[in-house]
Amino acid sequence: MQSKGLIKFFAILFALVCIYQLSFTFVANKVKADAKAFAGNDLTKEVKYLDSIGREKVFNLGFASYTYNEVKDKQINKGLDLEGGINVILQISVKDILKGLSNNSQDPVFNKALADATANQKGNQTYLDAFFEAFEAESKGKVKLSSPDIFFNKNFDTEITGKTSENEVKAILRRKVNESTLSAFEVLRKRIDKFGVTQPNIQQLGETGRILVELPGAKDVDRIKKLLQSTAQLEFWEAYKFEEVAQYIGSVNEALKATEVKVDVKETEKAKTGIDSLLTDVAKDSTATTKGNNPFFDKMISYGGGPIVGYFAPKDTAKIGEYLRRDAMKAMLTPELRYVRFLWGKPTTITNDKKEQVEAIELYALKGNRSNEAPISGGVVVDARDSFDQFGKPSVTMQMNGKGAKQWEDLTGKAYTDKSSIAIVLDNIVYSAPGVSSGPIAGGRSEISGSFTIDETKDLANVLRAGKLPAAADIVQSDVVGPSLGQEAIDNGMLSFIIGMLLVVVWMILYYGKAGVYANISLLVNILFIFGILASLGAVLTLPGIAGIVLTIGMAVDANVIIFERAKEELDAGKTLEESVNYAFTWKGAMSSIFDANITTALTAIILLVFGTGPIKGFATTLLIGIGTSLFTSIFITRLMLDWSLTKKQNLTFSTPMTHNWFKNMNVDFLSKKKVAYAISSVLVIVSLVSLFFINGLNQGVDFVGGRTFQIRFANEVKAAEISSALTEAFGTNVEAKTFGTDNQLKITTKYKVNEEGEGIDTEVNQKLYEGLKSYFPTTSYEEFVTNYDGKEIGVLQASKVGPTIAEDIKTNSYWAVLGSLLVVFLYLLISFRKWQFSLGAVGAVFHDVIIVLGVYSLFWKYLPFNMEIDQAFIAAILTVIGYSLNDTVIVFDRVREYLNDHEGGSFNQIVNKALNTTISRTVNTSLTTLIVLFAIFILGGETIRGFVFAILVGILVGTYSSLFIATPIMADTINKQDKNKSNPEA
């Protein structure tokens, strides 16, 4: 081998760089372990300890030293499934952006197109494209986007005029929407940076209006969701005094009497003491009637005062809001109240007439206007800080710009004169409504106070400083994993990694002797390189990523196996040991087979990287890195050791006494068995298709159909049917419960309100889940059950949500991923082998393998005791099967091509059979080592990855069979007679 010195230098340098990169991970883990020991499992104390040493030097290499914060930034990033935390995809509402750009146009064609775009948006279609399509269908060319009623307005200055073409308007709108999404991205990035989460990841997902946010290690899930979804729409409004709206409220109550069904007095009796003194005659009459027959007042816990209309139970707010929105109620508004806006405040605690502390929400009436625009908006705020008010309660102080300061002075002056209050409104919630007691407030400095916690004031100040989102941001997909579950995944993943590696190491030594020892050393170097590259690239290590690395262990030996088998063949042909080794490392020897096999696998991994999301990208990343490092170590590191052994005149062997004669002189007529194979495969494919389309179908996960899933661990064993029944009653819709691993762990799936977005919906779902299972968790609070993930052993360990729109996109991406990989590999093999029959045989076998794997899942998902859902992980498994099956097939085809080019004697079928027989040892060895590793993952890798690994296990078994009995016969049957005769001109 030429340039040995350069290769040695590069390999040693690369190894040292990898060790250097990995050293930060070891140091960071040691510091964390020390912090945990110091804190004694007290999370708050542990976090404070780590914060306190953030700038202290903890790693000294002699030539450089690093602080803990620097070490932490350089360690291998662990993904959500290993670290715990939250992963969400936020959908920026393009509909809201378009509404804003149109100045809230009331044009019926425009608004109908917006509604149709929402309803008819297809998988992988952006909302903007769906809107353009719907607008064209609705307008029929009669209404233009450049109409003065739509986008010909001040928002576009001179960009859009009445003469601007539709295509030009579309281009401008695309740019504006992209600018808004970028603005949202920057706002979210600033919020997350100030939130203090370790190693956050935030990415724009193309031009979809979606933003991916990954926060490994984050534990306060509800707080983070609120932080991410808050638009920070800060507004300052004048508030009506209670006596100014009391008569109207009394009139509403009277009007409701005639329409609402009377309710049980005992259930609705409320305290109204003192209300008569504030209401007018109409209101007095209404409250003088029998209690239980006042639809509005009976829901009031207590009357208001000042700017507060009244206090209501949280469960009644929706009904009260519905009352006030009725057209009949709006018609009773006096001219002074015609623009009134009723808004709710933050939940608080008050004492009812029974001297009980109850939760209540305040109702406010704000002085609206024709344009529905606040006198002052949050855009004037230039700085915000969390603080404490004069009573020592958490608050937020704000500083306004010059324009805002003048507006604030005018507004507070008017409130002082009128003895009224100013409502401070954030995202349509009234946080406080203070009065002004000392005259106009100059300078633009103000304070928001209310029933805040310290964390809430920190978050509020954060979002105000970062700015407001340009449109609503809804969580359309989320995945929350508790850290205890992540630690279990690490333990299971590493155990399967170690055992899988040990099994492969032992097998290589047993089968190849001394050469097997060199292959194992090469394998260890390969693993060092993989982890070193992951660390240096800042890539994220996930559980599927660990599976990718473990799978790489099984597949990395493939190149060594091909090299060793080729060297053995040359030895058997009479060449010397040195000649055999040298020939094995030539392109004509083993290199063409190795590169073709690895390129086809890499192509499928690239497809997976392009179309996959989240942890699946981690799997594809580690698989691609593993392919690259295994090629380098097999071709160069193994060669260096073999050459060293030859130089030292050592007794180099490629077999052991036990395996010396294995697979030698095999002469199986594989092609003669093709009819039997075709018959078996036809039956398997037909059974699979019948089950897929007519009997069982597939157990599609929420990735494909949308929904919510919860992984819940109970203190004791439970029956899935009982839990399903209890939750179905609590939710009022079907809830599915399945045993997930152990008998005290379930996977709960529901589609309850999956079409609705917002923080409030998630909270409602969590509360219903808790109420439905409360009897099973008698000593566990709601916070411990749902939101407190740190150190949790029972309760919700993982929660996921996929909205229907993104589910459709995932399904579409999955189809394209599978079809795209088949097409790309077909074209590659066509270019490489220059005969379409080789491509057809390989792709036909892969199609056969995929159908059978799908059939196995269709036939057995109801019966096998582990998760067999069709989700993104399953698609990753299918693509892995495609890559592996092609890898196997390409090795055989490469040998056929070699024999044809060398004009090997015999008929075409004899040459094909010879190629199959001479590569059978490689096929068995590679399949066996890979299956050993996969079996270790299947048994020890944990429940969350078991279904994924099972698909690959089935696929490799079927793929090994198909490469021998399907791919090659299809190629042989379709190749034309002229090409067959070239192999033996005399035939």
Side-chain angles (χ1 to χ4, degrees), residues 175-211:
R175 176 170 56 79
K176 289 286 188 181
V177 168
N178 286 337
E179 287 173 358
S180 295
T181 305
L182 181 59
S183 172
F185 174 83
E186 289 300 323
V187 169
L188 288 169
R189 184 180 58 78
K190 288 176 183 176
R191 290 185 187 180
I192 291 165
D193 286 345
K194 290 169 183 167
F195 191 72
V197 176
T198 303
Q199 297 171 325
N201 175 35
I202 177 169
Q203 301 174 23
Q204 276 186 265
L205 301 179
E207 296 184 356
T208 61
R210 291 175 184 156
I211 297 173

Side-chain angles (χ1 to χ4, degrees), residues 362 364 422-425 429-434 447-450 452:
E362 304 153 340
Y364 292 85
I422 297 175
I424 301 172
V425 181
I429 295 174
V430 179
Y431 274 69
S432 63
E447 183 178 65
I448 303 176
S449 59
F452 291 108

